[in-house]
Amino acid sequence: MRRQAAAAAAAWPVLAGRAAQGHAVTLGVLGGGQLGRMFVHAAQTLGYAVVVLDPDPASPAGQVAQHQIQADYLDADALRELGARAQAITTEFENVPARALADLARLRPVAPSADAVAIAQDRIAEKAHFARCAAQSGVAPAPYAVIERAADLQATAALLPGILKTARLGYDGKGQASVDSAAELAAAWHNLGGVPCVLERRLPLAQECSVIVARGRDGAVVHFPPQRNLHRAGILAVTEVFAGNLPDGAASQALRAAESIACQLDYVGVLCVEFFVLHDGALVVNEMAPRPHNSGHYTVDACDCSQFDLQVRALAGLPLTQPRQHSAAVMLNLLGDLWLRPDGNGDGSAEPPWDKVLALPGAHLHLYGKAHPRRGRKMGHLTMTGASASQARAGALRAAQILGIEPF
Ligand code: ADP
Ligand code: MG
């Protein structure tokens, strides 16, 4: 194993921000959303240039990168151009076709690997991986069944009431249906197009949390503290990170489980694993994202090394250091709804009162450069930092009140 890692490292040299001739080394990103934008910021801080591939000419990451290739993720010419321009390539968008990563890996170092991304893109493969890791970590997924054909709808009574989720392309609660009976399950599966799905038992959630780890090509793993997350309508609304945000046992178990999930994938890069904490204190692993994650945005303002810094380091083969959180933090997602208030309609031109929010000590406002607000669209986020949990929470509650976000 160690010899394998050494061979991989030899084939994949450490990339310094500036090459010997004084030209910036270029990193490539598949996907141009807000995660890509924050990756670009972190990469540029270390002296790298960044090229982004995204079909949207106004993509948030494309706006700040040195170059954007405007094309579909599977466009063969565009992938070749990305491989020619970038010395190493990553992805910021979970549903980038794993095949694009596999093609690029023939040209350049790619992290995370196409294999790891393919597992995270398919809930059936993902849950099978979690079930394998459970033997070591003790943290299993919710009881589930795979539904690939009508006959699979039989013998699922023990999982009801449940949540039916498409195996592929679901995010922010999309591609899911809550079902109480066998009849509802059958109708929901047909409504979802009869595509491969998983049916999970609906669990009594006390809390939700996530853990972000980063793993280098040498196998070194570092992590951020577990984040407590509040979802509304299937979309992350609030992330709170400070000592005592989760029961001690659940926090340390989640950390160990996330590390084991990353190591058993031989993962390279930043990985986020989401968990449920049940009312009896038991921990259940839900899903993973093979990239930096919305619940880790606070790391930019509250930690001495952000999730994006670690993604750049992992991709460039630079050392990963254990991040230290220096401030308690509460992050609020800023959805398009804020621009559409108060009647829920409007043309989206009513800009929220940022001056009032920015008058609060510890306010860090991030807007992603998206021109058109829509309901549920992630337009930005606000991280409130403080010297203590109560300070960060008080600031965040005040900001929520100013913006018309429901208290938490
Ligand atoms: P997505 O890819 O949309 O984030 P998730 O599987 O994370 O899909 O589900 C979205 C949210 O739905 C979760 O954060 C949680 O609040 C709720 N949820 C999902 N699965 C279950 C379950 N088995 N039991 C109870 N709630 C669930
Ligand atoms: Mg989720």
Side-chain angles (χ1 to χ4, degrees), residues 123 142 163 165 170-174 176 200-203 205 208 231 234 274 276 286-287:
R123 288 190 198 273
I163 300 187
K165 304 181 181 178
Y171 70 99
D172 286 347
K174 296 187 175 67
Q176 295 193 12
E200 284 175 39
R201 185 177 296 160
R202 196 190 308 149
L203 300 171
L205 311 188
E208 295 191 59
H231 292 83
E274 292 182 16
F276 301 143
N286 175 34
E287 62 171 358

Side-chain angles (χ1 to χ4, degrees), residues 192-344:
L192 289 172
V195 295
C197 284
V198 294
L199 172 68
E200 284 175 39
R201 185 177 296 160
R202 196 190 308 149
L203 300 171
L205 311 188
Q207 282 173 335
E208 295 191 59
C209 66
S210 55
V211 171
I212 294 169
V213 298
R215 187 168 180 273
R217 338 172 182 140
D218 59 356
V221 183
V222 297
H223 63 83
F224 290 98
Q227 292 104 210
R228 182 168 86 202
N229 301 324
L230 171 68
H231 292 83
R232 288 178 174 148
I235 306 175
L236 182 66
V238 184
T239 293
E240 299 186 70
V241 198
F242 36 73
N245 61 348
L246 292 158
D248 282 348
S252 55
Q253 226 189 348
L255 272 180
R256 278 199 310 276
E259 284 177 359
S260 140
I261 285 164
C263 292
Q264 293 192 47
L265 281 172
D266 201 15
Y267 192 87
V268 177
V270 170
L271 176 79
C272 179
V273 186
E274 292 182 16
F275 299 88
F276 301 143
V277 184
L278 306 188
H279 283 291
D280 63 2
L283 194 69
V284 170
V285 55
N286 175 34
E287 62 171 358
M288 62 182 166
R291 50 170 174 75
H293 190 257
N294 194 168
S295 64
H297 289 356
Y298 76 96
T299 61
V300 172
D301 300 304
C303 298
D304 60 3
C305 185
S306 78
Q307 61 170 348
F308 303 102
D309 295 331
L310 290 179
Q311 184 77 325
V312 172
R313 287 172 176 235
L315 182 62
L318 296 169
L320 302 183
T321 53
Q322 174 60 37
R324 180 179 63 85
Q325 184 181 3
H326 52 69
S327 298
V330 178
M331 186 222 56
L332 306 178
N333 257 346
L334 305 173
L335 303 182
D337 309 48
L338 300 184
W339 278 254
L340 301 175
R341 285 169 185 274
D343 61 357

